[in-house]
Amino acid sequence: MSADAGRLIEVDRETFDPWRIQPVRHRLADHPLLQLSSLVELGKRLESRGRVRTHTSDVTPGTPFNNAPKLHPHRMSAANTLQQIEQARCWMSLLNVQTDDTYRTLVDHVLDDVKPVVDPVDPGMCYRGGWIFITSPNTVTPFHFDKEHNFILQVSGRKTLYVWDHRDTVAASEESRDRFHACHERDRLKWDESLRERATVFHLEPGQGAYMPSTSPHMVENGDNASITVSFTYYTRATRHDSLLHAAHERLRHWGMAPPAVGQNTLLDFLLHSGFRSAIHARELLRRSLGKRPNTDGAPYAIAS
Ligand SMILES: [Fe+2]
């Protein structure tokens, strides 16, 4: 990885492929904004805006990801939890940290740093986001996938990250991806212990990380210590194109049709993309004319609900 050894995230410029899972190294483990004392203050600010997600350590790899906070609620405040994370028996995520002025600077710093490597092969970086995960010892992040491309970086503690190829239809069916892109539901994603054999496995220590393409299923198991992990995420022209097609295919399923997988019928995909893109543009024009805020996946930063 010599070509990019001076960057915050070391990515091999010559071999970087936006649709391939790959290891990375980084220089953020000592960053002052990623130390626990700073995260306690960030947790207070984000909690007041409803941007903290948490559950207890009782979750398993097969716990439905979307419902984990309801199934295993953790009721302590963010500040108290973070101050005693070694004993708290919980998983906590500070969401959309780019909505905080201080942390938006960090998100931009990191993604501006990696953009020269990404852009030539995957242009159109947008919808930038940052997510910080603070977890008690021996805690699991359930099996799930996300829409964004993701640089996931270990800051402190150790964890094992399992990632499956975004084209692996055993790990995640085409139907599960269609539904997820259409309405953010992950209920067609099913965990099975046998999936471990199919995964790319990273044993992450501080300074190490991985790059996961959009909708690569993943599951994480903490080591015997508390852990801090940060994800820097974004969409590109290609992820937005892929997402829109999956959402369109879900609509066809809703209408009783059985479309081929995204990418298998070029003409169908072209027609669907053109039609749905036009409909989205019309919706955004309507929102603007009514004085509403834009709601587009082409926004510069992830839109926090
Ligand atoms: Fe995730």
Side-chain angles (χ1 to χ4, degrees):
M1 298 190 192
S2 56
D4 296 291
R7 297 189 177 280
L8 292 173
I9 302 178
E10 295 174 22
V11 188
D12 191 336
R13 183 191 293 264
E14 268 112 58
T15 61
F16 178 72
D17 174 349
W19 294 103
R20 183 172 62 83
I21 300 160
Q22 53 211 285
V24 301
R25 297 192 63 84
H26 69 90
R27 293 186 169 75
L28 291 160
D30 297 323
H31 196 290
L33 290 180
L34 298 176
Q35 308 310 305
L36 204 49
S37 55
S38 299
L39 298 178
V40 169
E41 297 307 312
L42 176 64
K44 290 178 188 170
R45 298 198 293 276
L46 290 181
E47 190 165 52
S48 68
R49 298 176 222 159
R51 292 181 188 145
V52 173
R53 177 183 166 95
T54 184
H55 53 68
T56 70
S57 295
D58 295 324
V59 302
T60 68
T63 300
F65 182 85
N66 286 26
N67 297 331
K70 276 188 185 161
L71 292 170
H72 301 284
H74 172 77
R75 306 197 190 282
M76 199 185 293
S77 73
N80 284 344
T81 300
L82 296 174
Q83 283 162 342
Q84 46 189 300
I85 191 66
E86 286 280 355
Q87 301 82 32
R89 291 196 74 255
C90 88
W91 179 102
M92 180 164 282
S93 176
L94 306 181
L95 309 173
N96 285 298
V97 306
Q98 78 286 351
T99 59
D100 184 273
D101 289 344
T102 303
Y103 282 79
R104 179 182 296 206
T105 303
L106 174 65
V107 169
D108 279 337
H109 190 194
V110 172
L111 290 180
D112 284 346
D113 187 78
V114 82
K115 195 168 185 285
V117 178
V118 172
D119 252 3
V121 288
D122 195 13
M125 180 186 283
C126 62
Y127 219 75
R128 294 174 169 205
W131 319 80
I132 302 175
F133 308 94
I134 306 98
T135 41
S136 298
N138 303 307
T139 300
V140 168
T141 306
F143 182 61
H144 71 286
F145 49 24
D146 307 293
K147 282 189 187 180
E148 304 89 350
H149 285 332
N150 184 347
F151 283 98
I152 182 168
L153 311 175
Q154 190 65 13
V155 174
S156 76
R158 291 175 170 76
K159 55 175 46 168
T160 304
L161 167 67
Y162 296 79
V163 192
W164 290 262
D165 192 281
H166 73 283
R167 292 155 291 211
D168 185 339
T169 52
V170 174
S173 67
E174 182 76 3
E175 291 83 355
S176 71
R177 293 177 201 285
D178 290 349
R179 180 160 163 79
F180 175 62
H181 284 288
C183 60
H184 222 78
E185 285 293 340
R186 298 176 172 95
D187 51 349
R188 289 183 187 153
L189 201 55
K190 302 297 179 196
W191 170 251
D192 189 293
E193 281 294 324
S194 65
L195 289 174
R196 289 179 190 266
E197 298 168 9
R198 309 175 60 82
T200 301
V201 183
F202 298 91
H203 299 285
L204 298 180
E205 299 185 2
Q208 299 177 332
Y211 170 81
M212 301 189 288
S214 168
T215 66
S216 300
H218 49 285
M219 188 275 286
V220 189
E221 293 176 328
N222 238 23
D224 291 337
N225 297 103
S227 162
I228 300 173
T229 309
V230 59
S231 277
F232 295 97
T233 63
Y234 55 92
Y235 294 159
T236 65
R237 199 181 302 157
T239 71
R240 295 170 64 204
H241 184 272
D242 183 68
S243 179
L244 191 150
L245 284 177
H246 278 290
H249 282 217
E250 178 67 7
R251 180 50 63 106
L252 295 187
R253 291 183 199 283
H254 182 71
W255 289 334
M257 291 177 248
V262 169
Q264 283 192 355
N265 185 323
T266 309
L267 177 60
L268 174 67
D269 286 352
F270 171 77
L271 294 172
L272 285 173
H273 190 269
S274 302
F276 277 73
R277 192 79 245 165
S278 298
I280 289 169
H281 279 147
R283 185 196 68 191
E284 285 306 308
L285 281 173
L286 187 61
R287 286 181 68 89
R288 207 174 302 170
S289 70
L290 293 171
K292 294 192 171 182
R293 282 192 306 171
N295 183 19
T296 165
D297 63 0
Y301 297 97
I303 297 170
S305 55

